[in-house]
Amino acid sequence: MRIKTLQNSAKVIDEATGEEKINIAVPPFKISKQARLLNIHYVTPDQIMRPDIISILYYGTAEYIDVILKANGISNPFCIKDGMFLIIPEQSSVMAQYKPIYKSIKPRTQFQDMKRITPTDAKRLEFLAAKSSTKKNGSTQNLPPNMLKEEQKSKVVQGNNTILLGANLNTKKDEITRN
């Protein structure tokens, strides 16, 4: 199924291959409160879990199911049940107010963006920065444990085409023999 607004979603360039991909974690649009109402739809038994049928009914195509789902705050189309009432926004008013949402897709940036974190997390980050600055080997980057620092690599390819995983983790190299 082709979804019209998915084409307008945030694009991501895969650094390894250079291929352009769609970031489905970022919503492609927001529905403004000024969007006009086309209809209120009563879901019948043949439309259970089928927003595509409802989209065809009102818009003439199944490409706008995401508009219907977004307008009704539905993230799982399989939760559409018999007897539900759905708001059907006017297509032209939604698309006229379409504003793509641009966010950084790098997890490091999202973690360090002070606008996005809660006050509790901000205090925790301040505490970690203060604590690591007092330590001789303290971290300059306070990141979650599952995130590599900028100078770390998750793998290293050696000259004999063997791959070492976790090569920058703190290990005692003299105790480890690698083949």
Side-chain angles (χ1 to χ4, degrees):
M1 179 182 303
R2 194 173 139 246
I3 300 176
K4 191 84 162 175
T5 56
L6 197 56
Q7 296 170 347
N8 300 323
S9 293
K11 304 286 193 268
V12 179
I13 303 294
D14 186 345
E15 293 176 9
T17 63
E19 183 181 358
E20 185 177 77
K21 297 180 180 180
I22 295 175
N23 183 0
I24 61 172
V26 177
F29 65 95
K30 283 186 176 180
I31 294 183
S32 170
K33 292 179 182 177
Q34 287 80 27
R36 292 186 300 274
L37 179 67
L38 176 66
N39 204 347
I40 295 179
H41 178 77
Y42 180 80
V43 178
T44 59
D46 63 322
Q47 298 166 342
I48 295 172
M49 299 186 289
R50 296 292 308 268
D52 56 327
I53 294 174
I54 300 167
S55 178
I56 291 169
L57 180 66
Y58 290 100
Y59 303 128
T61 177
E63 294 178 351
Y64 295 100
I65 62 170
D66 51 344
V67 171
I68 295 171
L69 297 175
K70 187 78 165 178
N72 291 282
I74 297 173
S75 59
N76 181 1
F78 297 115
C79 74
I80 296 176
K81 304 284 185 232
D82 182 24
M84 284 179 74
F85 286 97
L86 298 176
I87 295 170
I88 309 296
E90 190 176 273
Q91 176 189 353
S92 60
S93 71
V94 169
M95 297 317 281
Q97 297 170 14
Y98 166 82
K99 292 183 181 168
I101 300 171
Y102 296 105
K103 290 183 181 178
S104 171
I105 47 95
K106 294 188 176 186
R108 180 180 317 284
T109 306
Q110 291 179 359
F111 181 76
Q112 294 173 334
D113 185 2
M114 298 303 276
K115 294 177 188 172
R116 296 188 63 196
I117 63 175
T118 64
T120 305
D121 286 341
K123 287 180 184 176
R124 183 179 60 81
L125 285 175
E126 289 172 16
F127 170 78
L128 289 173
K131 186 168 183 156
S132 63
S133 67
T134 62
K135 303 278 184 185
K136 183 175 104 176
N137 62 346
S139 176
T140 56
Q141 301 171 18
N142 294 308
L143 299 170
N146 62 341
M147 193 174 293
L148 293 173
K149 295 179 183 170
E150 289 177 1
E151 68 274 359
Q152 288 181 316
K153 294 181 181 176
S154 61
K155 62 184 181 247
V156 172
V157 179
Q158 293 181 319
N160 59 358
N161 291 330
T162 58
I163 300 173
L164 298 178
L165 300 175
N168 286 326
L169 298 177
N170 294 332
T171 59
K172 295 180 181 176
K173 292 187 180 192
D174 52 331
E175 294 180 25
I176 297 175
T177 56
R178 301 180 194 233
N179 297 338

